Amino acid sequence: MTRIVRVAAAQLGPIARLENREQVVTRLIALLRQAAADGCDLVVYPEMALTTFFPHWEVTDPVELESYYEKAMPEGAVTRLFEEAARLKIGFSLGYAELAGTADTPRHFNSSVLVGKDGRVIGKYRKIHLPGYAEIHPEHPFQNLEKMYFEVGDLGFPVFDAFGGTLGMCICNDRRWPETYRLLALQGAELITLGYNTPLHNPGQDTGQSPEQRRFHNHLCMQAGAYQNSSWVVGVAKAGIEEGCEMMAGTCIVAPTGEIVAETKTLGDELAVADCDLDACIPGKRGEFDLALNRRPEHYGLLVEAS
C-alpha cells in the first residue's frame, strides 16, 4: 500500500509594501481553491507569505513595523484562509512574521504553521538559521535585517504526525544547513515543507556568486537534503521583483531520490503539483541511509567533543 499526499507548492509573485492582508489572503485563497480543484491534500506557501519581505529595508515607523507581525494565528483577515481550507478539506503550511511574548517583553520570530484539513493548527516552527545582519548598511541597494527584526527560533526542529506520515518544517536559510534535514530525519520526517524569500543578488554576501550559481545552489541544497535523508522536500519561493528586489524563485518539489519532480515556470502566483508517495522514503531510510544502523556519532572523534 502506498501513502500518497498530493502536494501543491504555492509560489507567490511579489507582494507590494502597500498591499494589505485582505488582498494577500485573497491571492492565497485563489491558489488554495486551485489546489483543491486539482485534488491536492496539502498546499505549501512561502516564507512570510502574508506581507512584503520587510527585512529588506529599515522600517523607522513603529506602527508600520508592528503591522507586519501576526499576534495570533489566525487573526483578522487571515481567518478567511483557515475557514476556506476547512470548507475545502485541504491542509496548508504558511510562513509569517510572529509577535509573541507580552506587551512588556515582546518576542519576534520568523515562523510557519502546519494546518490540517479541518482548519486547525497542527504545529509551529520558528526559523533558527537567521541570515543577514542586525545593522544598517546604507551602501547596499536593499538590506537583509532578519537579525534585527527576529530572534533565533526556540522550538527546535519538531516533526508532526499529519497527512498519513511524519512532516517537518523549516524556513529559507535553514535549507542551506545539513543539520536541518538531519535533525528532522532523525525524528522520522518523510516530508519537509520549506518556504523561502531569497534575493537573486545578496549585497555584501554573494562572494562573487553569479545569478546562475545562486540558482544552482538553491536547488542543490534541497536536493542533497532530500537524498541524504530520504525525505520529500517542498521548496516554495517568493518570485519576481518585490519593492526593487529581484527574488530568486525556483519553487520545486524534490523526491527522496534527490530528483526534482515538479517546478514552477513563471515569476508569479503559480502552483507546482506532485503526488508525494511517503513510502518512497522507505528504501533510503531502510537502506544506505538507515540512520540507526549506519550512523555512529561516537566514531566521529573530535567532532563530537567540539559539539
Side-chain angles (χ1 to χ4, degrees):
M1 180 180 295
T2 57
R3 293 176 295 144
I4 302 292
V5 182
R6 189 162 174 81
V7 178
Q11 177 176 285
L12 288 176
I15 298 176
R17 190 169 181 172
L18 295 179
E19 199 166 349
N20 62 39
R21 291 290 194 290
E22 287 286 352
Q23 293 170 303
V24 176
V25 168
T26 295
R27 290 169 58 183
L28 300 182
I29 288 176
L31 290 168
L32 190 80
R33 289 171 177 166
Q34 183 181 338
D38 200 11
C40 293
D41 302 292
L42 174 66
V43 177
V44 181
Y45 294 109
E47 172 188 30
M48 286 178 57
L50 296 171
T51 66
T52 194
F53 195 76
F54 64 89
H56 280 161
W57 59 83
E58 180 186 14
V59 182
T60 57
D61 180 356
V63 175
E64 179 188 356
L65 181 60
E66 184 174 345
S67 74
Y68 292 121
Y69 294 94
E70 311 299 318
K71 300 180 180 65
M73 185 53 64
E75 67 173 355
V78 184
T79 303
R80 288 201 297 126
L81 177 65
F82 282 70
E83 292 173 345
E84 186 68 1
R87 186 185 74 83
L88 295 171
K89 295 181 171 55
I90 185 171
F92 64 89
S93 71
L94 176 74
Y96 65 103
E98 178 190 6
L99 174 58
T102 66
D104 293 332
T105 56
R107 306 189 68 194
H108 303 84
F109 298 100
N110 187 336
S111 301
S112 63
V113 287
L114 182 65
V115 177
K117 293 184 177 184
D118 59 358
R120 296 175 183 270
V121 173
I122 295 170
K124 180 192 294 183
Y125 168 71
R126 290 169 171 165
K127 185 175 180 179
I128 289 175
H129 297 99
L130 296 176
Y133 32 79
E135 63 283 335
I136 304 300
H137 287 256
E139 73 278 12
H140 292 171
F142 58 87
Q143 304 297 308
N144 190 1
L145 298 173
E146 287 197 56
K147 287 183 171 67
M148 173 183 287
Y149 294 128
F150 299 115
E151 299 178 44
V152 172
D154 60 355
L155 300 177
F157 286 101
V159 299
F160 308 97
D161 293 330
F163 301 93
T166 304
L167 272 64
M169 292 181 281
C170 62
I171 300 173
C172 197
N173 192 43
D174 289 327
R175 73 192 186 280
R176 304 188 188 280
W177 301 84
E179 51 265 41
T180 296
Y181 306 97
R182 181 49 46 90
L183 288 168
L184 290 169
L186 285 167
Q187 300 172 84
E190 298 168 299
L191 189 147
I192 299 167
T193 68
L194 196 174
Y196 60 95
N197 276 243
T198 302
L200 189 57
H201 307 275
N202 209 355
Q205 295 184 310
D206 273 353
T207 61
Q209 287 184 326
S210 68
E212 292 73 23
Q213 286 176 317
R214 295 268 292 165
R215 293 188 184 99
F216 169 71
H217 290 146
N218 175 52
H219 279 167
L220 174 65
C221 60
M222 292 189 284
Q223 292 179 261
Y227 167 64
Q228 292 177 332
N229 296 280
S230 306
S231 301
W232 290 89
V233 173
V234 185
V236 187
K238 178 87 71 61
I241 298 177
E242 182 178 276
E243 297 293 339
C245 177
E246 186 176 4
M247 309 301 286
M248 184 178 291
T251 293
C252 63
I253 299 176
V254 187
T257 58
E259 298 166 284
I260 294 175
V261 298
E263 56 186 318
T264 53
K265 297 178 174 61
T266 74
L267 297 179
D269 294 7
E270 182 187 353
L271 297 181
V273 176
D275 288 325
C276 300
D277 182 0
L278 301 185
D279 285 345
C281 302
I282 294 174
K285 289 186 183 295
R286 294 182 181 174
E288 57 190 334
F289 295 116
D290 185 326
L291 300 180
L293 179 65
N294 298 319
R295 181 177 176 271
R296 290 290 180 270
E298 67 272 20
H299 295 162
Y300 294 171
L302 293 177
L303 273 179
V304 173
E305 293 179 17
S307 65

